[in-house]
């Protein structure tokens, strides 16, 4: 098959991931945020499958299966369960309004391209064009973590960052060593479970998981 076709498929998946990241920033509903993360992960798994088929590396097929099972089905199910348990389906608060957040995203995407551009010529992989997108997604996930006040929303920002990191690893070097990727998946699962348990406990104690409220407790 023509390598250009693989390159186009990978670019389309990466662009869809970037668009979904921006849509997640504009969302103020917890359930929709979880759905955005599931679709974000679905495009990452499709991208991993395309890279695996193109390169023939068996360990990328394993990453494809793990991403599909854990990030598209299990983690969103667990987050939905936690949201129902703490009755947090209502809107989440942001320290910056939606228009301001979208403007910040635009700046972060520009910075991502600015940082990646000098390195693109040195890359020879089929998905090298997606390196700038992976940086942009990492920046957007980081921005979600610092701009939202809800502990669960901040955890989704962390998961978006992690997806951006995997995208970067696959586009630069066709993935990390398998043992490292297993370790990252294990860390993500443990982090999501701990965040879910803490969110449930904090909500029971303070009737809120607003992190700005908890910061004032030291006063």
């Amino acid at each position: 098959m023509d390598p250009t076709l693989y390159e186009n498929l990978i670019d389309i998946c990466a662009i869809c991931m970037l668009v979904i990241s921006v849509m997640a920033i504009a969302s103020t509903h917890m359930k929709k945020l979880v759905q955005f993360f599931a679709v974000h992960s679905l495009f990452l798994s499709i991208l991993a499958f395309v890279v695996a088929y193109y390169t023939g590396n068996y360990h990328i097929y394993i990453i494809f299966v793990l991403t599909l099972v854990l990030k598209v089905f299990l983690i969103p199910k667990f987050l939905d369960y936690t949201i129902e348990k703490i009755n947090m389906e209502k809107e989440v608060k942001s320290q910056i309004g939606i228009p301001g957040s979208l403007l910040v995203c635009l700046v972060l995407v520009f910075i991502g391209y600015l940082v990646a551009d000098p390195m693109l010529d040195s890359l020879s992989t089929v998905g090298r064009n997606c390196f700038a997108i992976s940086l942009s997604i990492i920046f957007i996930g980081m921005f979600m973590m610092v701009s939202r006040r809800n502990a669960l929303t901040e955890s989704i920002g962390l998961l978006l960052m992690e997806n951006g990191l995997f995208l970067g690893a696959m586009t630069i070097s066709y993935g990390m060593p398998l043992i490292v990727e297993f370790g990252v998946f294990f860390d993500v699962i443990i982090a999501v479970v701990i965040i879910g348990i803490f969110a449930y406990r904090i909500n029971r104690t303070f009737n809120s998981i607003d992190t700005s409220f908890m910061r004032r407790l030291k006063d």
Side-chain angles (χ1 to χ4, degrees):
M1 198 180 290
D2 187 357
T4 307
L5 178 60
Y6 291 104
E7 192 171 339
N8 290 337
L9 287 173
I10 290 169
D11 288 348
I12 290 170
C13 289
I15 290 168
C16 288
M17 288 177 69
L18 179 61
V19 171
I20 292 166
S21 302
V22 176
M23 290 170 70
I25 283 289
S27 176
T28 57
H29 196 275
M30 288 300 302
K31 287 266 188 181
K32 283 186 179 175
L33 273 175
V34 174
Q35 290 168 3
F36 279 135
F37 168 69
V39 177
H40 197 267
S41 302
L42 178 63
F43 279 110
L44 179 64
S45 65
I46 294 171
L47 186 145
F49 180 82
V50 174
V51 172
Y53 191 79
Y54 174 75
T55 60
N57 290 338
Y58 76 92
H59 80 274
I60 304 181
Y61 281 114
I62 297 174
I63 299 305
F64 156 68
V65 173
L66 285 175
T67 303
L68 194 64
V69 173
L70 294 178
K71 293 183 177 178
V72 179
F73 295 107
L74 293 184
I75 291 178
K77 284 281 183 192
F78 178 77
L79 290 174
D80 279 339
Y81 173 76
T82 306
I83 291 167
E84 287 173 7
K85 263 298 200 193
I86 62 179
N87 193 24
M88 273 296 301
E89 293 184 22
K90 57 188 178 184
E91 289 189 343
V92 295
K93 295 178 181 177
S94 173
Q95 298 184 43
I96 304 174
I98 292 175
S101 297
L102 292 176
L103 188 62
V104 172
C105 283
L106 186 65
V107 173
L108 292 175
V109 171
F110 177 72
I111 293 173
Y113 274 89
L114 210 61
V115 172
D117 188 55
M119 293 181 260
L120 290 181
D121 290 337
S122 61
L123 301 175
S124 58
T125 55
V126 71
R128 61 187 179 281
N129 295 332
C130 305
F131 179 48
I133 295 178
S134 72
L135 287 178
S136 302
I137 293 172
I138 291 171
F139 293 154
I140 291 172
M142 196 180 301
F143 172 64
M144 180 179 281
M145 288 184 69
V146 300
S147 65
R148 296 299 177 95
R149 298 175 180 172
N150 184 300
L152 282 178
T153 314
E154 291 170 0
S155 70
I156 292 176
L158 176 68
L159 292 170
L160 290 181
M161 281 180 64
E162 198 267 343
N163 275 358
L165 186 65
F166 261 90
L167 174 63
M170 271 188 282
T171 53
I172 293 175
S173 60
Y174 296 138
M176 295 176 279
L178 191 57
I179 188 68
V180 176
E181 289 175 337
F182 276 140
V184 173
F185 273 110
F186 182 74
D187 285 346
V188 168
I189 294 169
I190 296 298
V192 170
V193 170
I194 289 174
I195 289 169
I197 293 171
F198 269 98
Y200 177 70
R201 293 287 184 187
I202 291 169
N203 187 62
R204 278 191 64 181
T205 305
F206 301 106
N207 199 28
S208 172
I209 54 172
D210 187 330
T211 52
S212 64
F213 167 74
M214 286 182 278
R215 285 190 197 107
R216 293 197 295 271
L217 292 177
K218 64 182 179 183
D219 300 328

